[in-house]
């Protein structure tokens, strides 16, 4: 090496610079563009892998917000070891958007069949109650079980309230329902009006502030099964409805315990956040697409007085909307 340096009279640094100069400028430009694109993608997907790596892949402590005198904390949360440890996302899913995409593409939900009960609320709206009983899983065949709950049954009963455009068929709902039923609980999913394959039969649709449907369902189940401890779980918009209902009812609610998962506590802030960045706007558009069909069917039902999903008018409405959509695309 010394001989090589002495012959050329150049240091190692000078040799490296000379070699770098031989690389075409276009290669450097492409490398710079690739780095810029990677940085933009990193921010776009809100990845946090580099931050996790700098922390030694140890994750961060779970932050708990609670009242120091809360009995729920002292009796329940303080005994949950997972709430007092550290959380580290799977390295190749270190992004909330990748996790959402992975959930929708990977993993099959448990296979089972609900028992459906249609409940009509006071204003004429129809709510689909989809049941999975502990006895259904014990029997191994839903058809082999009568699917009834006796009035004096004391098996815990869980009511699940899904998210904005979700119903009982959503993968995360089926996972939740199955995991509780296999533990010996009776579970019922209270689908929102117009969801779960049920037509809109009233002039009112569901929203994040509408608690009357949940109130009626909870009271109905408590009156029908007074000995069964009643619990509720809400996700997303369902969590918001649940928490609002509990606040309105206070100590008068028959609900023995409840869990709110991913509740949008402040709907105004949530609405602004979902249109904050381009990636959030994709969610906004996806949620809107899920609601457009129900709004069109509701409007058609109002104009043509179509009340039943199984009526001829309902199917004509679907065909009419499809034909209208095709015509709009042809005009474009």
């Amino acid at each position: 090496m010394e001989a090589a340096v002495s012959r050329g009279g150049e240091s190692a640094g000078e040799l490296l610079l000379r070699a770098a100069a031989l690389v075409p400028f276009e290669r450097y430009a492409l490398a710079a563009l690739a780095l810029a694109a990677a940085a933009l993608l990193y921010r776009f997907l809100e990845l946090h892998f580099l931050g996790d790596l700098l922390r030694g892949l140890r994750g961060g402590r779970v932050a708990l917000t609670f009242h120091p005198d809360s009995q729920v904390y002292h009796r329940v949360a303080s005994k949950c070891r997972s709430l007092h440890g550290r959380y580290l996302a799977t390295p190749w899913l270190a992004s909330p958007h990748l996790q959402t995409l992975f959930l929708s593409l990977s993993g099959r939900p448990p296979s089972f069949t609900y028992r459906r009960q249609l409940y009509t609320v006071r204003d004429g709206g129809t709510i689909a109650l989809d049941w999975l009983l502990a006895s259904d899983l014990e029997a191994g065949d839903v058809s082999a079980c009568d699917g009834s709950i006796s009035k004096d049954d004391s098996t815990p009963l869980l009511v699940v309230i899904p998210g904005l455009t979700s119903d009982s068929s959503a993968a995360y709902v089926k996972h939740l329902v199955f995991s509780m039923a296999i533990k010996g609980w009776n579970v019922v999913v209270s689908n929102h009006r117009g969801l779960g394959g049920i037509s809109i039969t009233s002039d009112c649709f569901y929203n994040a502030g509408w608690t009357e449907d949940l109130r009626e369902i909870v009271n109905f189940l408590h009156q029908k099964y007074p000995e069964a401890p009643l619990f509720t779980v809400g996700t997303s918009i369902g969590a918001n409805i649940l928490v609002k209902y509990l606040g309105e009812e206070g100590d008068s609610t028959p609900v023995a315990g409840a869990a709110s998962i991913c509740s949008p506590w402040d709907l105004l802030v949530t609405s602004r956040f979902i249109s904050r960045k381009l990636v959030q706007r994709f969610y906004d558009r996806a949620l809107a697409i899920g609601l457009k069909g129900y709004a069109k069917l509701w409007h058609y039902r109002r104009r043509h007085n179509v009340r039943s999903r199984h009526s001829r008018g309902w199917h004509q409405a679907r065909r009419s909307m499809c034909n209208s959509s095709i015509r709009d695309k042809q005009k474009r």
Side-chain angles (χ1 to χ4, degrees):
M1 180 179 292
E2 292 179 356
V5 172
S6 62
R7 282 199 305 268
E10 295 177 328
S11 65
E14 290 173 332
L15 288 173
L16 287 175
L17 288 175
R18 181 183 292 275
L22 297 176
V23 179
F25 174 76
E26 292 80 4
R27 299 288 179 88
Y28 288 110
L30 288 175
L33 287 174
L35 287 174
L40 288 173
L41 184 63
Y42 189 91
R43 290 180 58 85
F44 178 77
L45 295 177
E46 299 181 77
L47 289 160
H48 47 81
F49 174 72
L50 293 180
D52 294 341
L53 193 62
L54 290 175
R55 288 190 292 269
L57 296 177
R58 296 177 60 245
R61 288 194 174 277
V62 177
L64 297 178
T65 303
F66 59 92
H67 192 281
D69 298 328
S70 170
Q71 293 298 316
V72 173
Y73 175 78
H74 291 292
R75 294 181 180 180
V76 181
S78 64
K79 296 178 173 60
C80 295
R81 296 178 61 184
S82 61
L83 295 180
H84 300 274
R86 307 178 73 89
Y87 170 74
L88 175 66
T90 303
W92 51 275
L93 288 177
S95 160
H97 312 296
L98 293 180
Q99 293 169 11
T100 301
L101 181 64
F102 179 79
L103 179 63
S104 62
L105 298 178
S106 178
R108 295 182 179 179
S111 178
F112 60 85
T113 303
Y114 290 108
R115 299 179 185 277
R116 171 152 292 187
Q117 176 185 6
L118 298 182
Y119 181 84
T120 304
V121 294
R122 284 176 294 180
D123 67 352
T126 303
I127 296 175
L129 299 177
D130 288 332
W131 291 83
L132 182 66
L133 308 183
S135 57
D136 294 337
L137 298 182
E138 292 172 359
D141 183 6
V142 174
S143 60
C145 188
D146 61 6
S148 61
I149 305 175
S150 63
K151 193 175 182 65
D152 58 350
D153 193 337
S154 59
T155 303
L157 176 58
L158 177 66
V159 182
V160 179
I161 307 103
L164 181 60
T165 58
S166 301
D167 55 27
S168 58
S169 64
Y172 75 91
V173 175
K174 298 191 75 173
H175 278 291
L176 173 60
V177 170
F178 185 82
S179 65
M180 295 306 296
I182 205 169
K183 290 179 174 64
W185 290 46
N186 294 325
V187 189
V188 57
V189 181
S190 178
N191 294 288
H192 300 295
R193 299 185 185 206
L195 300 187
I198 299 299
S199 62
I200 304 171
T201 58
S202 67
D203 295 336
C204 181
F205 200 45
Y206 74 95
N207 61 69
W210 182 255
T211 58
E212 288 303 313
D213 289 350
L214 178 59
R215 182 173 289 104
E216 283 200 46
I217 294 299
V218 166
N219 291 337
F220 162 71
L221 294 173
H222 180 61
Q223 292 171 7
K224 192 168 184 180
Y225 311 110
E227 300 300 321
L230 190 59
F231 297 86
T232 52
V233 173
T235 63
S236 190
I237 286 295
N240 189 280
I241 295 171
L242 172 60
V243 171
K244 185 173 184 290
Y245 158 77
L246 294 173
E248 293 170 349
E249 292 296 299
D251 294 335
S252 62
T253 178
V255 174
S260 167
I261 303 174
C262 297
S263 175
W265 297 104
D266 191 320
L267 294 175
L268 180 59
V269 172
T270 304
S271 177
R272 290 172 177 171
F273 177 82
I274 207 169
S275 57
R276 179 174 61 101
K277 295 180 179 179
L278 180 61
V279 67
Q280 274 88 19
R281 293 174 187 173
F282 284 128
Y283 293 105
D284 191 16
R285 181 174 293 274
L287 292 172
I289 290 173
L291 293 172
K292 277 183 178 179
Y294 298 108
K296 289 180 179 179
L297 286 175
W298 179 84
H299 180 67
Y300 189 94
R301 187 195 68 81
R302 289 277 295 170
R303 288 182 57 190
H304 300 277
N305 196 29
V306 179
R307 303 200 63 83
S308 173
R309 178 182 175 88
H310 302 288
S311 67
R312 182 180 178 185
W314 175 273
H315 298 292
Q316 289 176 342
R318 297 297 297 270
R319 287 196 298 270
S320 176
M321 286 192 299
C322 289
N323 292 336
S324 176
S325 176
I326 292 173
R327 286 195 298 270
D328 290 341
K329 291 180 180 178
Q330 288 174 342
K331 289 178 181 179
R332 294 173 189 170

